[in-house]
Amino acid sequence: MASEPIVSAVYEFPRPIWVSQDLQGQRFDTRIGPIVATIVMPTAVPPTGYAMWGPPELVGVPESALAPVPGEPSLRLDAYPDGAAVVNPVWDTPFAAEVQGGGPATALRAVGLELSEDPAALTHNDTRSAIGDAERSFRLSVQGTPEARIADLAGRNMEKWFTRVAEWVSVLTQQDLDHRHQIYDASLLGPGFRHWDGAWRVTSATYNIPSVTAIGAEAFGTVLCHVGDRKRPALEWQLLLQAAHSINRGFFRRAVLDCATAAETCVTRLVDNSSSAAGKPGPGAGLRNLSEWLTAHEKQSYHEDSQFIEMTKLRNTAIHNGIEPTSEQTLAAASCAYRIVEAHGHPQTHAV
C-alpha cells in the first residue's frame, strides 16, 4: 500500500507565543481542519543576539531551502515571493520580559509543519454524506493533486487553528495572544500626529516590560492534542479570557458582561447539580436569585463572594443603561468573577 503523501511547510504565527526552551527540536501531533499535522519545533543554534533557535528539519526540504542568505536579514514569510527557493524567517525572539517560573524561555514566532491526510479517513462517494473532519481531502478541495489539496486545506484552516491554540495557551498562562487586535509593548502616543520643531517630530512613546509565563513542552503538547480534537477550554474560562482581552483594550462594559456571565455559568451549574430540589430556581432565573438559593441550600459548598452583589449591579447597569464602568469597577468585577470560577468552575485544563 502506498504511503500517504507528506507536505512540509513553515508557518509564522500572527503573534509570538512565549514558550520554554524545552520545546526546542520537539515534534507535536495535532490536526489543522481535516489535515493531520506534526508541528516541528525549531532547533537550537548559537545565539545571534536576536534569536536562539534555527530551522527545523522537515521531510523533503533541503537544508539550503531554510538557510540564512549571507548579507540579507530575516524577513516575514509574506515578504518572500511565491516560488522563492529560500525563506529565512525569524524562528524566535527573546524579547525583553520578566519571565515567570524560572527556566529559560523565548517568544516562538515560526514553526515547521509536516502535513498529510488521515489514513483512516472515509473514502466513500456518498454525496449525501455530511462533510466532516474524517473526509478525504478530495471531498473538500478542488485542487488536482493530493499534495496541492493538503496545502490548500491547511492554508484555509490555519488561522482558526492558531486562534484555538492561542485561546488554550492564554487560559493556561494568561498571555495576551489576541492577534486580531494586538497590543504592543512599545507604541507612540498619538500615532499619525507630528509637530514642527525645526523638523517634524513625533510625540512621546510608551514602553512596557511585560511579565509573562511561558508554556512548557508537556502543556503545549496537550494543547495541540485538544485543538486537533476540536476541544476548547470550559466556557467560564473562555469568558474570563475574553474579559481580560477587553480590559487590556479599554472595553470595560464588554469585560463586565463577560465576567458576570462566567460567574453565572458556574453558579447555574452548581444549582443544576445540587441534590436539593426545594424551590430550585428554574431556567431564566437571575444571577442574584441563583446565588441566594445556593446560600440557603448549599451552605457547605457555596459562600457568596463579598463583591458578588456589586458585580451583579454593575452588570445590570451596563446591560440596561449602557453605562461604561470605570477601570476600577471593572477590575473589581473581574477579581470577583475569577474567585468564583476558581472556586466553583472547571479546572483551567478541563477540555470540552
Side-chain angles (χ1 to χ4, degrees):
M1 180 177 178
S3 60
E4 296 290 327
I6 293 178
V7 174
S8 290
V10 174
Y11 177 55
E12 187 174 58
F13 293 160
R15 189 166 178 85
I17 297 176
W18 277 92
V19 300
S20 64
Q21 290 283 14
D22 62 350
L23 271 74
Q24 228 171 47
Q26 295 211 37
R27 300 167 64 89
F28 301 97
D29 293 330
T30 187
R31 294 179 70 98
I32 301 174
I35 299 302
V36 174
T38 298
I39 307 302
V40 186
M41 290 293 149
T43 54
V45 296
T48 61
Y50 63 90
M52 295 184 290
W53 293 4
E57 297 181 2
L58 299 173
V59 170
V61 178
E63 185 176 344
S64 59
L66 290 172
V69 179
E72 293 187 11
S74 298
L75 301 174
R76 291 190 59 86
L77 280 178
D78 289 344
Y80 291 96
D82 183 30
V86 179
V87 296
N88 180 32
V90 178
W91 300 100
D92 78 299
T93 301
F95 294 111
E98 296 178 3
V99 180
Q100 304 299 313
T106 190
L108 181 65
R109 299 177 63 176
V111 295
L113 305 100
E114 293 174 353
L115 311 169
S116 63
E117 293 183 308
D118 185 349
L122 302 179
T123 58
H124 60 72
N125 294 314
D126 183 359
T127 57
R128 297 169 298 176
S129 172
I131 294 178
D133 275 354
E135 301 287 349
R136 284 288 193 181
S137 67
F138 67 76
R139 299 289 305 280
L140 305 174
S141 174
V142 298
Q143 298 298 321
T145 66
E147 291 82 0
R149 291 195 295 267
I150 290 169
D152 177 41
L153 292 170
R156 292 172 184 268
N157 288 278
M158 194 65 71
E159 184 185 7
K160 183 177 181 180
W161 174 84
F162 177 83
T163 299
R164 294 291 175 251
V165 171
E167 178 182 63
W168 267 110
V169 173
S170 297
V171 165
L172 296 176
T173 68
Q174 286 73 60
Q175 295 182 46
D176 190 329
L177 300 175
D178 183 355
H179 64 287
R180 295 190 178 95
H181 188 166
Q182 299 199 36
I183 295 177
Y184 298 96
D185 295 318
S187 60
L188 290 175
L189 297 176
F193 173 74
R194 298 289 187 275
H195 70 279
W196 179 256
D197 182 18
W200 290 108
R201 306 290 187 183
V202 299
T203 56
S204 299
T206 60
Y207 302 93
N208 175 48
I209 302 297
S211 177
V212 299
T213 300
I215 190 166
E218 182 177 357
F220 193 66
T222 301
V223 163
L224 294 178
C225 286
H226 286 332
V227 173
D229 293 338
R230 291 195 168 192
K231 292 181 179 179
R232 299 180 65 183
L235 177 59
E236 54 266 35
W237 289 106
Q238 295 180 39
L239 291 165
L240 287 184
L241 175 61
Q242 293 302 318
H245 287 172
S246 296
I247 290 172
N248 291 343
R249 291 155 180 80
F251 303 143
F252 298 137
R253 183 167 57 237
R254 184 186 304 172
V256 166
L257 300 184
D258 283 339
C259 285
T261 305
E264 187 170 5
T265 298
C266 297
V267 172
T268 300
R269 189 183 299 130
L270 287 175
V271 172
D272 291 343
N273 294 338
S274 173
S275 59
S276 176
K280 182 179 287 190
L287 186 52
R288 289 284 300 277
N289 292 338
L290 294 169
S291 181
E292 289 171 356
W293 187 89
L294 287 170
T295 301
H297 295 85
E298 295 289 345
K299 297 179 181 179
Q300 298 299 318
S301 60
Y302 179 80
H303 302 279
E304 188 173 273
D305 189 90
S306 60
Q307 297 294 315
F308 182 85
I309 293 177
E310 286 75 9
M311 180 189 67
T312 305
K313 288 180 179 178
L314 195 64
R315 192 270 293 268
N316 291 340
T317 301
I319 289 177
H320 300 297
N321 302 105
I323 295 175
E324 184 82 4
T326 66
S327 60
E328 292 78 10
Q329 290 174 318
T330 305
L331 289 173
S335 297
C336 175
Y338 267 96
R339 289 192 295 270
I340 293 172
V341 170
E342 288 177 342
H344 304 294
H346 288 301
Q348 288 170 285
T349 56
H350 183 76
V352 295

